[in-house]
Each structure stands twice: as C-alpha cells, then as structure tokens.
C-alpha cells in the first residue's frame, strides 16, 4: 500500500498535559493570541451580520475564577475610573456606545474591559424583541481594538474573548476549516471542555462533511477524545464513519489518528477496524519511518477490541506486531511537582519497600503508579513473592462456569493506586481526560482493582504523618491488612 503524495504520518507522542499518550494527529497548536486574531480578523459578511441578531444572550463563561471586576492592572488610585468604565460598558445601550467608551478613554482601558465589552455586545445582539441596529464597521472596529491589545491580555481574558468571539464573529458552518482547526487545537491544548464550542465543531464537521479530507477531520476530532466529550450532534458518528469508509485507503495514517480519538470515546466503528488490522495496512506501515508509533496506536486499538468489543469478529493485530502501549511514566508527570514522591514515601513507611512496586508496566503496556498484591483474605503480600501481573488477554470462561473457575484462578488480588493529578483532568477539574479515563477503564477490565487518589484529597494533607493516615484509611477501606496483624 503506497502512501499518497502529501500524506502526513502520525506524529510522535509528545508529553502533553494530562495525557497518557499524545493525542491523535497532535500538531502545533497556535498561541491564544494568534487564535483570537484569526477569529476576529475574519470578514463579517451581511449574511453573518443578520445571523448575529438571532443568537441568544451570551452567558458568562465558566473558564476559571472571574477577573473581570477584580481590580485594574497595577491597582492604585486609578481603580475608581477603571471600575467606572467597566460599569459604563456593562450598561451600554448599543454597540456604538460600547465602541465610544473604549475609544474615548484609552488611559482607563484595561485588558479585561475587552471581554466585558464582548459579553455586553452578545447581550445586546440577543435582546428581544428588537435588537438595536449594528453597523458592520462597528464590529470591525471593536475587533481591531482587541487585536491590537490582545498581546497584553492574561490567559483568562484570552479564553473569555475566544469563547465570545466564536459565538459572536459567525455561525459555525460559515467559518473556514482553518479557523475551526485552530479552535479545536486550542481547546485540546488548554484542556477546555466547553460544550458550546465543541458542539459548534461537531456541527461544522457534519455540515461540511463532503468538503473535508480525513487529514482535516483528524484535527477537528482531536479535542473530543482528549476532553472525553461525545457531542450531542446526532450525525457526528455516522458522519465520521462515512468519512473513514471514503478515505481510509487514501489517507490511512489519518485514519489511525481518528480511530485513536474514537477509542477514547468508546465509539470504534467495526469497518475501519477491519481496514487498519488488515495484512495490507500492517505491511504498509511496517515500511514507514513512523512504524513504531503506528504499531503502538494499533496495539492500543487491539487492546480496546479485546476488552470492550466482544462482538468484533474481524482481523486483529498479530502478536508479533504488538508493542507496549505506554511503557513508562509521562515526561509531563516527571517534570511537574506532583504527589508521586511523597505517596511513595508514605507507602514505604506504612507498608515497607517490599510490599509495593512503583512505575511497573503491566501487559499489554500500561504503566501503573503503584501496585500492591494481596491475598484473598486481604493481607498485603511482598511483591517479590508474587507474580504482579494479571494474565493478558484476561482468562475467559464459558457462561455459567464462573463459580467453578474461581478455584482455578489466582486468589491474589492486584491493587493499583492511581494518582489523579490536577492536569489529568479537563480544566473544569471534574472530567478525566480521555487518555486517562481509557487507561483506568482498561486496567479495571483486565482485573486490577483501582484505588484513585484524587488531587483534592492529596493537596489537603499537611505533611507526611497526615498523608500516612490518609493512605491507611484508603487501604483499610478496601479490606487490606498489613504488619503483624496482617500476617
């Protein structure tokens, strides 16, 4: 199978925030400033302008603690005039009045005033029953003001302006693929699980299906898998399946990247799996410079088929082609100041060094934070005396024989302590990133008992004694015992 001219290979995994592996098709992501400039510099057509008058009022964005009305940059005696300008912007009766307040008071304008102005503009344009008239030049002038000043914006103001600019500069189907790709990359890079923006990308993909190549689609789909977000758009999956069926043979490497995102969403289409596991495709990728990376992706897909798709009866990745999926801790985790070292010390003092393993890679290639072995009665056992690995593929037994198989299975249980650091979540701090959720789901399906250690709980411990008490309570809640009383 020859690679079509211009077909890019899958990119090598980079240590991105909160990811067990690099996102599929991950590439350069623009800075927030450049993203905002691209969005706001787009021409506003009459059709778009009429669409602006039909949008609902914009709600405040939930992108972190609000800084809109905190204090002016630098503080000091100018706080009064600056706050007064904010009130004037919030009470403006028309887009023209908004622009006047910003243009006539340059010494009082601070970065956060632009997000306030955009938010008020959205409210004005969505007002009922009759929105005030707005001239195209007014929107263009406001856009140019923001473009000129956005290098001085903090990250919160950038995020708010991005959110509002997408909902105000055009309807999704009227934006270009380039702009939508920039938006998708921005959301993925900054872990922004913004449903309105993600739904806009999904709608764009569906509307423009016949115009998009799979090399563009892989970038548009990236944030859905990374942010663990399955859109409400009902045609999202049927659309992707049609694109994969149409272009799998034309752009096979982009196909693998799309499947990686869908794997995180638990939405793997059988027909595309038949293609990437076919002997022709496997022989093709074996001769490319990216063979190891693609084999790692295919090994992960094969694991997902084994554990999550019992009804799949198509070809599989041959054993000789399989490689460990993620065999070592992330560089991201090692570089950040995380809780692994202090948890390791707490376990050492609590259990002893011989009763846990750190950063052990279990078949088919998932690196675990900490692994314990325990007897059927709950006694924590020295790891050196046990096989720490559960069999992979998992042992299966015919239906109705579960009770009898219990006597032949290894009675020891394996417990994996899973660190859930702050950057393992989307920016909202509640939803695990897709790659993290995938790893935990697969470890659980392989038979490992997971003990999550959330960052909120770890951060609340004050010193090693408190942490040891916390770990003791966690382990005892699982019925584990150790020390003289544990046998």
């Amino acid at each position: 199978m020859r690679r079509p001219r211009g077909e890019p290979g899958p990119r090598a995994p980079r240590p991105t925030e909160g990811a067990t592996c690099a996102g599929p098709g991950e590439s350069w992501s623009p800075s927030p400033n450049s993203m905002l400039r691209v969005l706001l510099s787009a021409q506003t057509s009459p059709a778009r302008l009429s669409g602006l008058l039909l949008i609902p009022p914009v709600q405040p964005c939930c992108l972190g603690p609000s800084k809109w009305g905190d204090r002016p940059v630098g503080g000091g005696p100018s706080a009064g005039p600056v706050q007064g300008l904010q009130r004037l912007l919030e009470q403006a009766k028309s887009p023209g009045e908004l622009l006047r307040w910003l243009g006539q008071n340059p010494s009082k304008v601070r970065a956060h005033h632009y997000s306030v102005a955009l938010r008020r503009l959205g409210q004005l344009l969505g007002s009922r029953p009759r929105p005030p008239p707005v001239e195209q030049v007014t929107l263009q002038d406001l856009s140019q003001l923001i473009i000129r000043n956005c290098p001085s914006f903090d990250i919160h103001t950038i995020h708010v302006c991005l959110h509002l600019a997408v909902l105000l500069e055009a309807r999704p189907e009227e934006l270009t693929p380039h702009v939508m790709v920039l938006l998708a990359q921005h959301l993925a890079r900054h872990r922004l699980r913004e449903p309105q923006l993600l739904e806009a990308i999904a709608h764009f993909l569906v509307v423009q299906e016949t115009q998009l190549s799979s090399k563009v689609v892989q970038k548009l789909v990236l944030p859905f898998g990374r942010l663990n977000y399955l859109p409400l758009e009902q045609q999202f999956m049927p659309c992707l399946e049609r694109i994969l069926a149409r272009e799998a043979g034309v752009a096979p490497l982009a196909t693998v990247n799309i499947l990686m995102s869908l794997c995180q969403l638990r939405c793997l289409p059988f027909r595309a799996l038949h293609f990437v596991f076919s002997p022709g495709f496997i022989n093709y990728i074996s001769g490319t410079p990216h063979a190891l990376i693609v084999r790692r992706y295919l090994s992960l897909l094969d694991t997902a088929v084994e554990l999550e798709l019992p009804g799949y009866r198509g070809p599989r990745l041959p054993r000789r082609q399989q490689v460990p999926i993620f065999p070592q801790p992330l560089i991201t985790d090692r570089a950040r100041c995380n809780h692994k070292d202090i948890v390791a010390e707490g376990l050492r003092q609590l259990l002893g060094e011989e009763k846990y393993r750190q950063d052990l890679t279990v078949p088919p290639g998932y690196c675990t934070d900490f692994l314990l072995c325990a007897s059927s009665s709950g006694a924590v056992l020295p790891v050196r005396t046990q096989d720490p690995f559960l069999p992979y593929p998992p042992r299966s037994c015919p239906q109705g024989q579960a009770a009898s198989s219990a006597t032949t299975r290894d009675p020891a249980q394996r417990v994996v302590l899973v660190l859930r650091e702050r950057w393992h979540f989307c920016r909202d701090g509640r939803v695990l990133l897709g790659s993290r959720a995938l790893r935990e789901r697969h470890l659980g399906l392989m038979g490992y008992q997971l003990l999550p250690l959330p960052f909120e709980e770890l951060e609340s411990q004050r010193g090693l004694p408190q942490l040891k008490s916390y770990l003791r309570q966690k382990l005892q809640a699982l019925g584990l015992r150790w020390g003289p009383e544990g046998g």
Side-chain angles (χ1 to χ4, degrees):
M1 183 183 301
R2 299 178 57 190
R3 182 165 76 190
R5 183 175 299 175
E7 167 70 5
R11 301 179 181 272
R14 295 190 308 176
T16 57
E17 280 188 319
T20 304
C21 69
E26 186 168 2
S27 58
W28 170 83
S29 182
S31 70
N33 283 341
S34 65
M35 177 68 208
L36 184 58
R37 289 175 179 176
V38 169
L39 278 172
L40 290 174
S41 60
Q43 290 295 322
T44 306
S45 67
R48 269 186 203 142
L49 198 58
S50 63
L52 291 178
L53 304 181
L54 302 177
I55 62 173
V58 176
Q59 300 299 319
C61 305
C62 298
L63 295 176
S66 174
K67 299 180 182 177
W68 289 353
D70 290 351
R71 58 184 183 277
V73 177
S78 61
V82 169
Q83 291 175 350
L85 176 58
Q86 177 166 327
R87 286 194 295 271
L88 290 173
L89 292 172
E90 291 172 338
Q91 297 169 6
K93 299 297 189 293
S94 69
E97 187 178 344
L98 272 177
L99 194 61
R100 274 200 310 278
W101 290 129
L102 289 173
Q104 295 175 3
N105 298 274
S107 63
K108 301 173 186 175
V109 175
R110 300 293 184 268
H112 74 278
H113 285 137
Y114 293 101
S115 54
V116 173
L118 276 178
R119 179 167 172 260
R120 181 58 182 157
L121 180 61
Q123 293 170 340
L124 288 171
L125 293 176
S127 62
R128 297 293 186 269
R130 177 175 296 178
V134 54
E135 297 181 359
Q136 183 171 342
V137 68
T138 300
L139 289 178
Q140 291 175 342
D141 288 347
L142 180 57
S143 297
Q144 290 305 311
L145 271 176
I146 296 174
I147 289 171
R148 284 200 300 270
N149 289 279
C150 71
S152 65
F153 290 2
D154 62 22
I155 193 65
H156 173 80
T157 302
I158 286 284
H159 288 165
V160 172
C161 286
L162 274 174
H163 184 101
L164 294 169
V166 170
L167 295 180
L168 296 173
E169 259 322 81
R171 291 174 296 190
E173 61 268 25
E174 293 176 339
L175 293 173
T176 66
H178 176 65
V179 170
M180 296 305 283
V181 165
L182 289 178
L183 177 60
Q185 291 175 330
H186 178 80
L187 295 177
R189 182 180 181 86
H190 294 281
R191 299 181 285 121
L192 298 176
R193 197 175 191 267
E194 284 292 314
Q196 284 180 296
L197 302 186
L198 290 166
E199 291 293 343
I201 295 173
H203 179 65
F204 175 84
L205 194 152
V206 169
V207 171
Q208 300 290 338
E209 173 189 342
T210 58
Q211 309 301 318
L212 300 176
S213 70
S214 55
K215 287 176 281 187
V216 172
V217 172
Q218 67 182 337
K219 299 174 183 177
L220 294 178
V221 174
L222 170 63
F224 296 98
R226 176 162 167 75
L227 301 172
N228 203 1
Y229 182 86
L230 185 62
L232 299 175
E233 171 63 63
Q234 293 184 349
Q235 287 300 309
F236 178 75
M237 277 306 302
C239 170
L240 285 179
E241 291 184 18
R242 289 191 295 269
I243 292 173
L244 287 170
R246 182 183 75 220
E247 299 222 352
V250 178
L253 301 180
T255 298
V256 173
N257 288 331
I258 295 171
L259 287 175
M260 284 290 292
S261 289
L262 296 183
C263 182
Q264 294 172 343
L265 295 173
R266 306 182 74 174
C267 294
L268 287 172
F270 282 20
R271 184 173 178 181
L273 290 174
H274 278 252
F275 172 77
V276 298
F277 289 142
S278 67
F281 179 80
I282 293 173
N283 291 336
Y284 157 70
I285 62 101
S286 298
T288 67
H290 306 287
L292 178 59
I293 302 302
V294 180
R295 284 172 63 193
R296 187 164 292 167
Y297 286 177
L298 292 180
S299 297
L300 185 146
L301 291 174
D302 188 79
T303 300
V305 169
E306 175 70 39
L307 298 175
E308 300 182 338
L309 297 179
Y312 178 81
R313 295 292 180 266
R316 295 278 298 277
L317 185 66
R319 293 293 177 198
R320 67 180 183 278
Q321 295 283 354
Q322 295 183 5
V323 295
I325 304 172
F326 310 117
Q328 56 197 5
L330 286 179
I331 296 176
T332 310
D333 280 347
R334 294 203 300 267
R336 289 177 179 269
C337 181
N338 60 19
H339 296 93
K340 183 170 285 189
D341 290 342
I342 191 171
V343 170
E345 180 61 21
L347 289 174
R348 187 186 71 80
Q349 294 189 20
L350 195 63
L351 305 176
E353 292 183 4
E354 74 281 1
K355 291 189 177 178
Y356 74 92
R357 290 285 298 273
Q358 179 176 345
D359 296 333
L360 180 68
T361 299
V362 301
Y366 279 116
C367 185
T368 58
D369 295 320
F370 300 97
L371 186 141
L372 313 178
C373 293
S375 68
S376 57
S377 64
V380 179
L381 305 171
V383 178
R384 60 181 173 78
T385 66
Q386 304 293 317
D387 181 357
F389 305 128
L390 287 174
Y392 182 83
R395 295 172 182 164
S396 59
C397 60
Q399 291 184 350
Q401 295 186 12
S404 61
S405 66
T407 59
T408 61
R409 294 186 61 187
D410 186 346
Q413 55 180 320
R414 279 73 168 182
V415 179
V416 174
L417 277 65
V418 180
L419 294 181
R420 288 183 172 178
E421 299 287 3
R422 188 179 295 272
W423 55 90
H424 296 165
F425 290 81
C426 299
R427 188 73 69 172
D428 60 14
R430 296 185 299 273
V431 179
L432 273 174
L433 293 172
S435 53
R436 287 281 165 178
L438 178 78
R439 183 181 73 152
E440 293 190 17
R441 187 166 74 242
H442 283 183
L443 286 172
L445 289 170
M446 286 188 284
Y448 293 92
Q449 187 168 5
L450 303 186
L451 177 58
L453 303 178
F455 69 89
E456 305 98 327
E457 296 178 3
L458 293 171
E459 289 175 356
S460 67
Q461 310 306 314
R462 295 293 178 260
L464 193 56
Q466 268 197 28
L467 180 72
K468 285 169 58 179
S469 176
Y470 165 77
L471 292 173
R472 180 181 294 109
Q473 293 173 9
K474 285 284 190 179
L475 295 174
Q476 288 176 342
L478 287 181
L480 300 184
R481 300 177 292 107
W482 60 93
E485 72 280 6

